Amino acid sequence: MAPKTTTRTNCTTQPQVSGDPQPEVLTGAPVADGPPPPHPLTDEELRLLTGTVQQSGTGVAAAAGPAPTMAPPQATTTDLPAAVGTPITGQTVVATYAEQSNRNAWAYLSTAGWKKLSDLTDTGSTTMTLLAAHARATGSAPYVDENPAGTIGTLYVW
Amino acid sequence: MAGKDRVDVGAVQRALETQNHPWEAAENHLTRLSGDDRARRLGVPLPDEEHLALLEQRAVQLRARLLEPPSVAAAALPAAFDLRNIGGQNYVSGIRDQGNCGSCVAFGSVAVLEGTARYTRGLPTLDSDFSEAHLFYGWGSTVGVNCNTGWMPLPALTFATNDGICFESEWAYTAGNTNGGSAPANWQQHRAKATGTVDVTNKVEDIKAHLTSVGPVTGCFVVYTDFFSYKSGVYQQTSGKVEGGHCVAIVGYDDAQQAWIIKNSWGTGWGMGGYGLIRYGQCYIDTWSNIAVTGVNVRTWTSAKKVIGGYSTGHDRNGWVYVQDNGWLHVGGTTGTAHVAMFADLLTAKEKGAYVNAYSDDGTIKTVYAY
């Protein structure tokens, strides 16, 4: 996909970087130029590349992902879950962003800014998009766990 | 009907007086029964002489251990724990009455299943009224168990693990199954199934650890005549003869009183509203047969509930919803499209505060209505 070349400062406009388009920074900080750097392939990605597993949509059970451990806010136990990355709490979703590239959905957290939702799988990206949109619609501040790679790997919305 | 050899409660009280009243005795619906009818309120076959000698040896060793300083593992456990009151929440299902049938093992075992299902989910209001009748008259009968033979909790909970049991609403218990109940043809669509059994017999610290981390544990013990008249306090055998073996669910403990908290199956008219305290090491309560389960899967409709929370990671089909009174349920889907469709329906219901009725198959939503 050809990269966009224009720059804008309005969150309702198209994103402006090469590679998978990224949402524009709402607070005025520039978006890094160039596509995101490659990351080491995960075991799952390697298996997908070598064709040893089927992707979703083929009627097979999904490999088990991590289960939620967080209790609802009104529960007697309100311990936060063990974070894999950096937890972000108390910030609402101000905006969301997606475009036609595969698994390229973002959410704008009120202070942390644009964060890409995990692009590990199709359904993972989609369900996180639904959750982020739901958090934005309800004004609920989600519990977010940001991966070391900078993407949101876990979302809780109450 | 009053029995000719009913319990002489006055004699029990006099015996207690000689021992400075370790517990209180009172008349109740059991003390008025005949010896034969009392025996049918039990349901664990007494051990043979060889086994009895082993149990006695264990009990002597346990009582000696209780006099020693606690181990590091024991010291790490809370000094008291009660599944009926954890932060004001009660994870123990209601008191039942086995009536005139030696089915105590079914009641002790199902209490373990019900309490574990609730406690492991952190859901005191989980619909977990499972069928003692299915376990006893259904599965028990396949191995020759009936009201007169008695049973043991390990085989009972093994049936619950390998096969599962339906809900009470589908096969209600009556003593002797006089209502002619049976499991409906499609009972497996609405059932509870344990994920595994754990034997913590003769391991006091392990019993306590299981209680605090997973849920109730069965306790089998020898019943003496005076036990039927128990009203309150910490029970220890003071008088009477051996009446038989019995099974209850241990639902807590109190080190200060050196006692287990037990849930009996003799109705609320016995003990403290159906509950009692038995001193550690008494009557083989902690050395004979202490069986528990590692968890309980449930296959059921949630009925009309609200979605409270949502969760997702980047993994394939790993959307979850927290459903009122049901906890976290994984959203299923044989395809990614189905998974996303159900997840969207559930989140929409959450956003609108609408009700959902989801079919959960061992914690995975397979079907959902939102309305």
Side-chain angles (χ1 to χ4, degrees), chain A residues 8-30:
Chain A
R8 297 171 191 245
T9 55
N10 187 317
C11 72
T12 60
T13 57
Q14 293 293 315
Q16 315 307 327
V17 294
S18 58
D20 277 348
Q22 297 181 3
E24 192 169 344
V25 175
L26 292 178
T27 54

Side-chain angles (χ1 to χ4, degrees), chain A residues 129-140 157-158, chain B residues 347-348 350-351:
Chain A
T129 301
L130 288 167
L131 261 183
H134 173 73
R136 178 170 180 268
T138 58
S140 171
V157 179
W158 299 106
Chain B
L347 282 187
T348 302
K350 176 180 179 300
E351 187 169 330

Side-chain angles (χ1 to χ4, degrees), chain A residues 60 66 70 121 123 127 134 155 157, chain B residues 310 312 314 316-318 328 350:
Chain A
V60 298
M70 196 175 188
T121 66
T123 58
T127 53
H134 173 73
L155 257 183
V157 179
Chain B
S312 176
D316 188 24
R317 283 173 272 173
N318 198 39
W328 284 114
K350 176 180 179 300

Side-chain angles (χ1 to χ4, degrees), chain A residues 56-57 59-62 65-68 70 72 76 118 120-121 123-124 126-128 130-131 134 137-138 153-158, chain B residues 86-87 89 91 308-320 322 328 333-337 339-340 343-344 347-348 350-351:
Chain A
S56 65
V60 298
M70 196 175 188
T76 53
S118 173
L120 190 60
T121 66
T123 58
T126 309
T127 53
M128 293 188 95
L130 288 167
L131 261 183
H134 173 73
T138 58
T154 303
L155 257 183
Y156 287 86
V157 179
W158 299 106
Chain B
I86 300 173
Q89 302 288 345
Y91 294 92
I308 294 170
Y311 164 88
S312 176
T313 67
H315 300 79
D316 188 24
R317 283 173 272 173
N318 198 39
W320 296 63
Y322 193 100
W328 284 114
T334 55
T335 66
T337 304
H339 175 78
V340 170
F343 194 64
L347 282 187
T348 302
K350 176 180 179 300
E351 187 169 330

Side-chain angles (χ1 to χ4, degrees), chain A residues 91-104:
Chain A
Q91 298 187 35
T92 54
V93 176
V94 176
T96 55
Y97 166 82
E99 52 76 57
Q100 62 185 345
S101 301
N102 196 28
R103 306 179 195 172
N104 191 36

